[in-house]
Amino acid sequence: MKRLYFWFALIAVFGLVLAACGGAGGNTHLDKVKQAGLIKVGTSADYPPFEYVDENGNKAGFDIELMEEIAKQLGVKVEWVDMPFDSLIAGVQEGKLDASISAFNYTEERDQVVDFSIAYYDGEDAFAVSEGFSGTLAQPEDVVAYKVGVQNGTTQDGWLTELVEQGLLPEANLSRYDRADQAALDLKNGRIEVMLADAIPMKALVQQLGGLKIAYEGVVSSGPINVVLPNGDTELTQAVNDIIKKLQAEGFVDALAIKHFGQ
Amino acid sequence: MLANFFLYIVQGISITIGVTLVALPAGLLLGLGFALINTYGGPWLKRLSAAYSLLMRGVPPIVLLFILYFILSGNVVNLTPFWAGSIALGIISSAYQMEILRGALLSIGGGQMTAARAVGMTRLQSIQHIILPQALRIAIPPWSNEASIVLKDSSLVYALGVPEVLRRAQQLSATTQQPMLAFGAAALIYFVLVFLVNRGLDALAEKTKLPTQTA
Amino acid sequence: MDSPILQAKNLTKIYGQNVIFQDISLDVNRGETIVVIGPSGTGKSTLLRCINLLTPINSGQIFLNGKEITAPEASEDKVRQQVGMVFQNFLLFNHLTALDNVMIGLSKVKKLPKAQAREKALYELNRVGLSDRADHYPGQLSGGQQQRVGIARALAMDPSVMLFDEPTSALDPELIGEVLGVMEILAREHMTMLVVTHEMGFAREVANRIVFMEKGSIVEQGSPNDLFYHPQHERTREFLWKITELYGKKDEEE
């Protein structure tokens, strides 16, 4: 029993010292964020309508507005850090970002190094082709017959890569791009025949570029999208989840979806 | 609307210039140090500096940038992406600058050092007062080239999340679907910057030129 | 006569497998002008560079003003302040004006205040006849002018001994005279000088003593009269004959 008291006392002293050093309040990541009044959120602002830069040079988009609201509810402001998409997970993992929102899907691989919030939106995938496309895409797996493009590091990339590893899709027929709009442009000028991406941005690109159409829409690789948070950061994740639930119940999320996606 | 877009890209110029203004002097200091060590140091120092040069010049800058970035913004030293990226670029440039300065130092020739020593100057004084002033003059044209390279390479920090010109052009391209316009604007900006730098250094070379016989 | 201002004792210099010179001894008295002659590659220039410690000797000792400058505790830099050197290729500091070339030793090495250094430098430039070229750069001067600045630069340090390493060998013929003229004035002013040269006219007119070196050793030395008219060694005679042939039998037209 004395042993227990001893350890208890030691930990209490240790905790007190830490608290004294760390300033007022506790010392979880969430506390630090609240103390700083700032949450560093990574995004790749080249993916309309989820996150992009508008004509005034400001960040805009579904994810952007949602995250700003979440931060507001936490009582902090967002410090946006814009990075190429495939650097974002590493950014959270290395502790350079407090969180990241960039239309992320859950994958087991990602889960090993970061944590996910509950889903804040559900989405499907879409295959886009040029208007003169004469092939068949009745089901997703039909894509193996064509030259296909995808954004690097996305779940769609993962799905297609699996097909390559299974020997169904020739490696040479898969092109990876840093940004979705790069792939769309190559689709338009015929360098690739099919493009796979999240349905909403895909439709936006199709509409903007012209000469393209959606060949297939449905759940292929994605599904719900989540906020990415640091591994093992239960306090922050819990806080974010609570707010997401609240915003969904209030209809905030739906309204945002109508504003940005029209649905 | 396009004007606003262009303004957005133009705002990246201060970052591009900032990165260059950190990287170039850092590279110069380091590069000069290594060049002097390599030219005047003992056999081990010569080997060390030669190895450094070989290593840094043998790897693509973007790869080195990531490696150095993770070291410079890790747990021991924690710098922002801007500083980590700029210093990393400086370290990379120092290897190339070392070669430029080494060449300049060697081209001055041993005679100048001999004459300086003959007047009673120490090695250090000879390097400081006789060798370096002449070597730096000679180094200006090739250094001007390196300055252009660093300025253009500053775009690499986009991969670290620093909002300079290239990244902004990418975002604009994604939003407007006008890649030619977006990247054309970026290209124009880099061209103008490089042009100005080269012109400036040309003027410097002209100003510090040593007079020769006219007739 | 007090002891020699410069004494070289049993100097040996070896480069790799080559023996440049072996067991050479030479005394230089205050105010003397000694001219060293001999075929190219016999170590004359190396000898000079060993005397001001630019090149290390393998064995032997050198004494300047009675102190051993080859001793391990001697400061090479300080020694070189007392030994002036003039080079075949002038080796002026190209980024400095003539005045600055002469001044720099005074301000950086002797740490004289700028005004004082300037005054002394102008004095020396005047001495070699170039005060009107003080703000010219080496690139704007002729070879003869550059060499005279080189002499002024060495003189400015007030050395005990002046070493001349083939000072006119790199000059166009018509420019040789102005440099030899300055050297002659210095000799008449009793500057202690050790000169390596092929200029036989100068050797005959100005030298107090001529030293003939061949294949790394001193074959013969003596007054110009002795050496030119009564050489003791066959090799001396042979060399002088060849040289005067080259220079057009000057001393036969006496």
Side-chain angles (χ1 to χ4, degrees), chain B residues 98-119:
Chain B
M98 170 186 158
E99 291 304 319
I100 291 173
L101 293 163
R102 208 171 66 91
L105 286 169
L106 288 174
S107 76
I108 295 301
Q112 290 291 306
M113 174 66 91
T114 303
R117 299 308 301 277
V119 164

Short mmCIF file of all heavy atoms in Angstrom, two decimals, chain B residues 98-119:
data_model
loop_
_atom_site.label_atom_id
_atom_site.label_comp_id
_atom_site.label_asym_id
_atom_site.label_seq_id
_atom_site.Cartn_x
_atom_site.Cartn_y
_atom_site.Cartn_z
N MET B 98 30.86 25.86 -53.71
CA MET B 98 32.20 25.45 -53.32
C MET B 98 33.04 25.18 -54.57
O MET B 98 34.20 25.61 -54.66
CB MET B 98 32.14 24.18 -52.47
CG MET B 98 33.50 23.55 -52.24
SD MET B 98 33.36 21.98 -51.39
CE MET B 98 34.92 21.24 -51.83
N GLU B 99 32.47 24.51 -55.53
CA GLU B 99 33.22 24.21 -56.75
C GLU B 99 33.57 25.47 -57.52
O GLU B 99 34.67 25.63 -58.04
CB GLU B 99 32.42 23.25 -57.65
CG GLU B 99 32.29 21.85 -57.08
CD GLU B 99 33.63 21.21 -56.78
OE1 GLU B 99 34.56 21.36 -57.60
OE2 GLU B 99 33.76 20.58 -55.72
N ILE B 100 32.61 26.38 -57.58
CA ILE B 100 32.87 27.65 -58.28
C ILE B 100 34.02 28.39 -57.60
O ILE B 100 34.96 28.85 -58.25
CB ILE B 100 31.61 28.54 -58.26
CG1 ILE B 100 30.52 27.94 -59.13
CG2 ILE B 100 31.94 29.95 -58.73
CD1 ILE B 100 29.20 28.66 -59.04
N LEU B 101 33.93 28.51 -56.28
CA LEU B 101 34.94 29.28 -55.55
C LEU B 101 36.28 28.58 -55.57
O LEU B 101 37.33 29.22 -55.63
CB LEU B 101 34.45 29.52 -54.12
CG LEU B 101 33.24 30.43 -54.08
CD1 LEU B 101 32.53 30.34 -52.74
CD2 LEU B 101 33.65 31.87 -54.34
N ARG B 102 36.24 27.26 -55.51
CA ARG B 102 37.48 26.49 -55.58
C ARG B 102 38.20 26.77 -56.88
O ARG B 102 39.39 27.04 -56.92
CB ARG B 102 37.16 25.00 -55.46
CG ARG B 102 38.25 24.15 -54.88
CD ARG B 102 37.70 22.77 -54.64
NE ARG B 102 37.37 22.12 -55.89
CZ ARG B 102 38.21 21.36 -56.58
NH1 ARG B 102 39.41 21.16 -56.11
NH2 ARG B 102 37.85 20.81 -57.71
N GLY B 103 37.45 26.74 -57.96
CA GLY B 103 38.03 27.03 -59.27
C GLY B 103 38.63 28.42 -59.30
O GLY B 103 39.73 28.63 -59.81
N ALA B 104 37.89 29.37 -58.71
CA ALA B 104 38.39 30.75 -58.70
C ALA B 104 39.66 30.86 -57.88
O ALA B 104 40.63 31.50 -58.29
CB ALA B 104 37.31 31.68 -58.14
N LEU B 105 39.67 30.23 -56.70
CA LEU B 105 40.86 30.29 -55.85
C LEU B 105 42.07 29.69 -56.57
O LEU B 105 43.16 30.25 -56.56
CB LEU B 105 40.62 29.52 -54.55
CG LEU B 105 39.72 30.18 -53.52
CD1 LEU B 105 39.36 29.20 -52.42
CD2 LEU B 105 40.39 31.40 -52.93
N LEU B 106 41.85 28.54 -57.21
CA LEU B 106 42.97 27.87 -57.89
C LEU B 106 43.48 28.69 -59.06
O LEU B 106 44.67 28.69 -59.36
CB LEU B 106 42.54 26.49 -58.37
CG LEU B 106 42.35 25.46 -57.27
CD1 LEU B 106 41.77 24.17 -57.82
CD2 LEU B 106 43.67 25.17 -56.57
N SER B 107 42.55 29.41 -59.72
CA SER B 107 42.98 30.15 -60.91
C SER B 107 43.80 31.37 -60.55
O SER B 107 44.44 31.96 -61.41
CB SER B 107 41.77 30.55 -61.74
OG SER B 107 41.12 31.63 -61.13
N ILE B 108 43.79 31.75 -59.29
CA ILE B 108 44.59 32.91 -58.90
C ILE B 108 46.07 32.56 -58.97
O ILE B 108 46.91 33.37 -59.29
CB ILE B 108 44.23 33.39 -57.48
CG1 ILE B 108 42.80 33.89 -57.46
CG2 ILE B 108 45.17 34.48 -57.01
CD1 ILE B 108 42.55 35.03 -58.41
N GLY B 109 46.39 31.32 -58.71
CA GLY B 109 47.77 30.91 -58.90
C GLY B 109 48.61 31.05 -57.64
O GLY B 109 48.40 31.95 -56.84
N GLY B 110 49.57 30.19 -57.54
CA GLY B 110 50.40 30.18 -56.34
C GLY B 110 51.30 31.40 -56.23
O GLY B 110 51.72 31.77 -55.13
N GLY B 111 51.57 32.03 -57.35
CA GLY B 111 52.48 33.18 -57.33
C GLY B 111 52.01 34.30 -56.41
O GLY B 111 52.79 34.90 -55.68
N GLN B 112 50.69 34.54 -56.45
CA GLN B 112 50.16 35.61 -55.61
C GLN B 112 50.39 35.29 -54.13
O GLN B 112 50.73 36.15 -53.33
CB GLN B 112 48.66 35.77 -55.87
CG GLN B 112 48.33 36.36 -57.23
CD GLN B 112 48.74 37.82 -57.33
OE1 GLN B 112 48.36 38.63 -56.51
NE2 GLN B 112 49.55 38.14 -58.33
N MET B 113 50.17 34.04 -53.77
CA MET B 113 50.39 33.63 -52.39
C MET B 113 51.87 33.78 -52.04
O MET B 113 52.22 34.30 -50.98
CB MET B 113 49.95 32.17 -52.21
CG MET B 113 50.25 31.57 -50.85
SD MET B 113 49.34 32.35 -49.53
CE MET B 113 47.88 31.35 -49.45
N THR B 114 52.74 33.35 -52.97
CA THR B 114 54.18 33.47 -52.73
C THR B 114 54.58 34.91 -52.49
O THR B 114 55.29 35.23 -51.54
CB THR B 114 54.96 32.94 -53.94
OG1 THR B 114 54.57 31.59 -54.19
CG2 THR B 114 56.45 32.98 -53.67
N ALA B 115 54.10 35.80 -53.37
CA ALA B 115 54.46 37.21 -53.23
C ALA B 115 53.94 37.78 -51.92
O ALA B 115 54.62 38.57 -51.26
CB ALA B 115 53.89 38.00 -54.41
N ALA B 116 52.76 37.35 -51.52
CA ALA B 116 52.19 37.85 -50.27
C ALA B 116 53.01 37.37 -49.08
O ALA B 116 53.31 38.13 -48.16
CB ALA B 116 50.75 37.37 -50.13
N ARG B 117 53.38 36.10 -49.10
CA ARG B 117 54.21 35.56 -48.01
C ARG B 117 55.56 36.25 -47.99
O ARG B 117 56.11 36.55 -46.93
CB ARG B 117 54.45 34.06 -48.17
CG ARG B 117 53.25 33.15 -48.17
CD ARG B 117 52.30 33.29 -47.01
NE ARG B 117 52.86 33.09 -45.70
CZ ARG B 117 53.05 31.92 -45.11
NH1 ARG B 117 52.79 30.81 -45.76
NH2 ARG B 117 53.52 31.85 -43.89
N ALA B 118 56.09 36.56 -49.19
CA ALA B 118 57.42 37.18 -49.26
C ALA B 118 57.46 38.54 -48.59
O ALA B 118 58.50 38.99 -48.13
CB ALA B 118 57.86 37.29 -50.72
N VAL B 119 56.30 39.20 -48.55
CA VAL B 119 56.24 40.51 -47.91
C VAL B 119 56.03 40.37 -46.40
O VAL B 119 56.02 41.33 -45.65
CB VAL B 119 55.11 41.34 -48.58
CG1 VAL B 119 54.71 42.53 -47.78
CG2 VAL B 119 55.55 41.76 -49.95
#
